Amino acid sequence: MKLHHIGIDVVDLDKSTEYIQSTYQARFLFEITFGEETIRFFQMNEFMLELLYHPYKEQLGCHVAWQVDSIDHMLDHLEIVDGNQVEGPYQFENGWTSLFLEVDEKLYVEWVEETSL
């Protein structure tokens, strides 16, 4: 596994975008909508940064995402561990498949499998 991206929930997506682009020279990659969330990805040297905005989210959190060869392998492994709140897998229009494990309401882990479209 290698680091895929770090995700941060934000209150104001446009202000946060302006801040990371001006302060860190982050390069905008793409934006997707997932349910009620608007998600923007940026390249920051060796890794990607994900800004997540949800209009009704009360608690902000963060997550780390690891790139894996097989989401199915991760899902099989996580299904045998009791007490985990696993969400997904979710397929995104950019070819990524993600699986989430909620650690608590502010922190979760994501695994991403990239497939070319």
Side-chain angles (χ1 to χ4, degrees):
M1 274 189 286
K2 71 174 190 170
L3 178 65
H4 187 269
H5 68 266
I6 295 173
I8 302 171
D9 294 327
V10 297
V11 175
D12 186 319
L13 187 57
D14 291 331
K15 277 188 178 180
S16 298
T17 294
E18 182 181 322
Y19 175 77
I20 66 143
Q21 286 184 312
S22 65
T23 304
Y24 301 105
Q25 288 73 46
R27 183 173 52 90
F28 175 77
L29 296 173
F30 60 91
E31 178 177 298
I32 61 173
T33 301
F34 183 67
E36 294 184 6
E37 288 183 327
T38 303
I39 305 169
R40 291 182 183 163
F41 281 88
F42 301 86
Q43 187 67 49
M44 296 188 57
N45 296 325
E46 296 84 31
F47 71 95
M48 283 185 282
L49 178 68
E50 174 188 31
L51 298 182
L52 300 102
Y53 171 73
H54 190 293
Y56 305 111
K57 193 164 191 171
E58 293 181 16
Q59 293 203 358
L60 301 179
C62 63
H63 71 276
V64 62
W66 300 101
Q67 186 167 342
V68 296
D69 294 330
S70 171
I71 285 293
D72 290 333
H73 175 76
M74 292 304 303
L75 187 58
D76 290 343
H77 174 73
L78 291 172
E79 284 182 337
I80 64 171
V81 180
D82 291 332
N84 291 327
Q85 295 184 7
V86 177
E87 295 182 22
Y90 299 106
Q91 181 68 48
F92 296 94
E93 53 194 49
N94 66 353
W96 295 358
T97 304
S98 290
L99 182 67
F100 300 90
L101 173 66
E102 185 177 310
V103 177
D104 62 37
E105 52 193 34
K106 293 182 184 178
L107 178 65
Y108 54 96
V109 179
E110 178 182 4
W111 292 274
V112 178
E113 177 184 339
E114 290 188 17
T115 54
S116 55
L117 295 177

